[in-house]
């Protein structure tokens, strides 16, 4: 299993780093996780977007779903030739995106997307990837995701505050892709995690590796890495830098 970072900037995109978006590949299956601003262009730099098997959205905040709108245009009027992409999303996705199409509403968006509602506790399977979901602590209805294959386990926190059992949900994962919006002395409302909370969560979950994402764009990721490493113990911790590739699981671990 392999994870490509399309973008990881928290809140808003910056030059060279789109908002949240990841491509998960396993044995011919390709899952696009979150479609923040700029991630559609980044994805096209890696592959033919018509070969994505499904898009999975964590929540309706624009930094995680705004590129559904240009993707709609590409699917409906571009080279895709009428392809309908399976789109998994929590409650609120359809209702938030539909008004962009005025009176045609979701009916128009439905020409490009086969919408499948997901929620906490649901299980889905796309190709060889099984996914489960956890409701997080965040203003919008937000789902953390756990993706499992015979080769490994990835858990992605999406956006979340600290008052949720993310460590339990991520237990034993090969990679925890965890949001780390805040830094020491720069902590806002409890709707996001700090880098040290991400490190602590990874240690409590017993994961093999931690990747920091959603670092606030004006913060230095090196500082986030230092704070996360202090809290994570012996775990390897990396920043989910745009363009970075994570090999997930034992079978593929030797390659790096
Ligand atoms: Zn966000
Ligand atoms: Zn959010």
């Amino acid at each position: 299993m392999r994870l490509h970072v399309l973008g990881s900037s928290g809140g808003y995109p910056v030059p060279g780093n789109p908002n949240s978006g990841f491509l998960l590949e396993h044995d011919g299956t390709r899952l696009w996780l979150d479609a923040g601003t700029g991630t559609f262009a980044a994805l096209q730099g890696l592959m033919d977007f018509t070969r994505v098997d499904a898009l999975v959205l964590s929540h309706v905040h624009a930094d995680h779903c705004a590129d559904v709108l240009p993707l709609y245009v590409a699917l409906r009027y571009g080279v895709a030739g009428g392809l309908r992409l399976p789109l998994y999303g929590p409650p609120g996705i359809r209702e938030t995106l539909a008004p962009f199409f005025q009176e045609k509403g979701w009916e128009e968006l439905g020409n490009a997307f086969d919408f499948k509602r997901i929620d906490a506790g649901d299980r889905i399977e796309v190709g060889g990837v099984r996914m489960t979901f956890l409701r997080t602590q965040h203003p919008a209805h937000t789902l953390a995701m756990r993706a499992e294959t015979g080769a490994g386990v990835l858990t992605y926190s999406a956006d979340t505050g600290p008052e949720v059992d993310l460590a339990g949900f991520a237990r034993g994962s090969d990679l925890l892709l965890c949001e780390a919006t805040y830094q020491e002395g720069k902590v806002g409302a409890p709707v996001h995690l700090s880098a040290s909370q991400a490190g602590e969560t990874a240690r409590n979950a017993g994961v093999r590796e931690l990747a920091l994402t959603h670092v606030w764009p004006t913060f230095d990721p090196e500082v986030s890495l230092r704070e996360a490493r202090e809290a994570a113990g012996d775990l390897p911790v990396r920043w989910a830098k745009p363009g970075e590739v994570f090999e997930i699981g034992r079978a593929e671990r030797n390659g790096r």
Side-chain angles (χ1 to χ4, degrees), residues 11 58-64 136 138-140 142 158-160 179 191-192 214:
S58 65
H59 66 301
V60 299
H61 286 162
D63 58 325
H64 298 257
T136 74
H138 202 57
T142 304
D159 283 5
T160 187
E179 80 123 284
V191 296
H192 290 293
H214 209 274

Side-chain angles (χ1 to χ4, degrees), residues 95-115:
E95 295 75 5
T96 304
L97 295 174
F100 278 94
F101 298 87
Q102 294 88 39
E103 69 279 359
K104 289 181 177 172
W106 182 265
E107 205 178 312
E108 181 54 37
L109 212 48
N111 286 317
F113 298 103
D114 179 12
F115 181 75

Side-chain angles (χ1 to χ4, degrees), residues 50 122 130 134-135 143 173 211:
T50 65
D122 285 353
R130 301 178 299 280
L134 173 79
R135 177 83 186 264
L143 299 176
S173 296

Side-chain angles (χ1 to χ4, degrees), residues 20-240:
S20 297
F22 310 91
L23 173 67
L24 181 65
E25 287 186 306
H26 171 68
D27 201 18
T29 300
R30 297 177 182 88
L31 285 172
W32 179 1
L33 313 179
D34 272 350
T37 310
T39 57
F40 181 33
L43 178 88
Q44 290 172 81
L46 291 177
M47 63 173 289
D48 171 0
F49 72 92
T50 65
R51 295 178 64 205
V52 169
D53 294 287
L55 170 60
V56 187
L57 298 178
S58 65
H59 66 301
V60 299
H61 286 162
D63 58 325
H64 298 257
C65 77
D67 270 13
V68 165
L69 300 173
L71 176 62
Y72 153 82
V73 176
L75 287 166
R76 186 103 162 90
Y77 302 107
V79 296
L83 184 81
R84 280 176 87 228
L85 181 70
L87 192 172
Y88 293 87
I93 293 281
R94 283 170 62 124
E95 295 75 5
T96 304
L97 295 174
F100 278 94
F101 298 87
Q102 294 88 39
E103 69 279 359
K104 289 181 177 172
W106 182 265
E107 205 178 312
E108 181 54 37
L109 212 48
N111 286 317
F113 298 103
D114 179 12
F115 181 75
K116 298 162 191 290
R117 189 177 178 275
I118 47 172
D119 211 339
D122 285 353
R123 290 171 174 277
I124 64 168
E125 191 160 351
V126 182
V129 183
R130 301 178 299 280
M131 295 189 75
T132 50
F133 306 94
L134 173 79
R135 177 83 186 264
T136 74
Q137 180 189 14
H138 202 57
H141 193 123
T142 304
L143 299 176
M145 312 171 188
R146 181 178 170 111
E148 304 193 31
T149 70
V153 181
L154 162 75
T155 299
Y156 168 41
S157 68
D159 283 5
T160 187
E163 298 300 321
V164 67
D165 186 17
L166 181 62
F169 183 65
R171 185 87 56 218
S173 296
D174 293 284
L175 178 68
L176 171 61
L177 174 62
C178 193
E179 80 123 284
T181 307
Y182 303 139
Q183 294 178 343
E184 214 168 289
K186 298 172 180 172
V187 173
V191 296
H192 290 293
L193 298 177
S194 66
S196 59
Q197 285 170 327
E200 198 181 305
T201 302
R203 194 190 61 219
N204 292 339
V207 303
R208 296 171 68 116
E209 185 174 12
L210 170 65
L212 302 183
T213 184
H214 209 274
V215 175
W216 191 250
T218 56
F219 293 172
D220 179 359
E222 290 300 326
V223 173
S224 303
L225 280 170
R226 195 171 64 233
E227 292 180 2
R229 281 175 182 142
E230 275 169 23
D234 295 334
L235 280 178
V237 185
R238 284 197 279 165
W239 177 41

